[in-house]
Amino acid sequence: MEKTFIMVKPDGVQRGLIGEIISRFERKGFRMESGKLMTVSTELAEKHYAEHKEKPFFGELVNFITSGPVFAMVWAGEDVIATARQMMGKTNPSEAAPGTIRGDYGLTVGKNIVHGSDSPESAEREIQLWFNEEELSSYEKTIDSWIY
Ligand code: IDP
């Protein structure tokens, strides 16, 4: 089963949206396999956003993601990577469609509530980066036969 890394960013945590975001993925039929509230170190933030190192907003991005706790998760399900990105909406909330997480709750690109891996390679890299072996679990739900 495909897996992806989803994170409620500090703005989403402060605004009380952890439950709402979990709920949307749960109701869709996806399965949470790991989840933790944590404060992000500068080192982890810089590794996570390494592809944006040269961008002018990199410093701001690292400062923001380390500014307060985040809720980090692994979600599993068929096509979860692409589907979760659809459910999150476009990076800039002003362009994200209503009904998406960013479209419903965000206003600016710097504070866009949620992160989700953008490819199978990123998902694998990010899951390894954010979770250690003991924190990763894989299980089945009896409801799965009604979803698939
Ligand atoms: P994604 O989160 O939708 O995958 P990316 O292009 O990978 O989008 O950018 C990572 C994060 O960097 C975005 O979620 C957003 O919070 C932030 N970001 C992207 N562009 C800008 C910008 O122009 N100014 C400030 N922050 C930005």
Side-chain angles (χ1 to χ4, degrees):
M1 200 61 91
E2 192 171 88
K3 294 172 201 277
T4 194
F5 173 69
I6 302 285
M7 166 181 42
V8 182
K9 296 184 180 183
D11 53 332
V13 173
Q14 293 296 327
R15 292 179 54 192
L17 293 172
I18 298 174
E20 167 67 20
I21 291 166
I22 289 177
S23 196
R24 287 185 179 217
F25 289 119
E26 270 187 333
R27 278 184 274 141
K28 178 71 175 169
F30 293 130
R31 181 173 72 227
M32 183 163 39
E33 291 199 338
S34 303
K36 58 180 174 182
L37 187 77
M38 60 181 282
T39 301
V40 184
S41 65
T42 302
E43 189 191 354
L44 175 57
E46 286 179 351
K47 278 188 189 161
H48 175 75
Y49 283 123
E51 65 173 303
H52 297 299
K53 212 171 172 171
E54 308 304 329
K55 305 264 174 67
F57 58 84
F58 183 69
E60 184 192 328
L61 187 55
V62 169
N63 280 343
F64 171 60
I65 224 72
T66 56
S67 65
V70 302
F71 197 78
M73 296 168 277
V74 176
W75 284 87
E78 199 157 305
D79 273 330
V80 68
I81 299 171
T83 308
R85 295 278 300 183
Q86 293 253 347
M87 291 169 67
M88 285 163 40
K90 288 198 178 163
T91 305
N92 189 339
S94 66
E95 293 167 7
T100 63
I101 295 167
R102 288 163 169 172
D104 286 351
Y105 302 118
L107 284 173
T108 66
V109 72
K111 293 195 172 67
N112 61 2
I113 321 278
V114 70
H115 166 85
S117 310
D118 63 4
S119 67
E121 295 72 34
S122 307
E124 197 177 329
R125 186 184 80 86
E126 292 170 2
I127 290 169
Q128 298 307 322
L129 186 62
W130 286 80
F131 291 91
N132 60 41
E133 229 19 77
E134 301 89 70
E135 292 171 323
L136 294 172
S137 59
S138 217
Y139 65 100
E140 287 183 2
K141 281 177 156 178
T142 50
I143 189 86
D144 286 350
S145 63
W146 295 98
I147 295 172
Y148 297 108

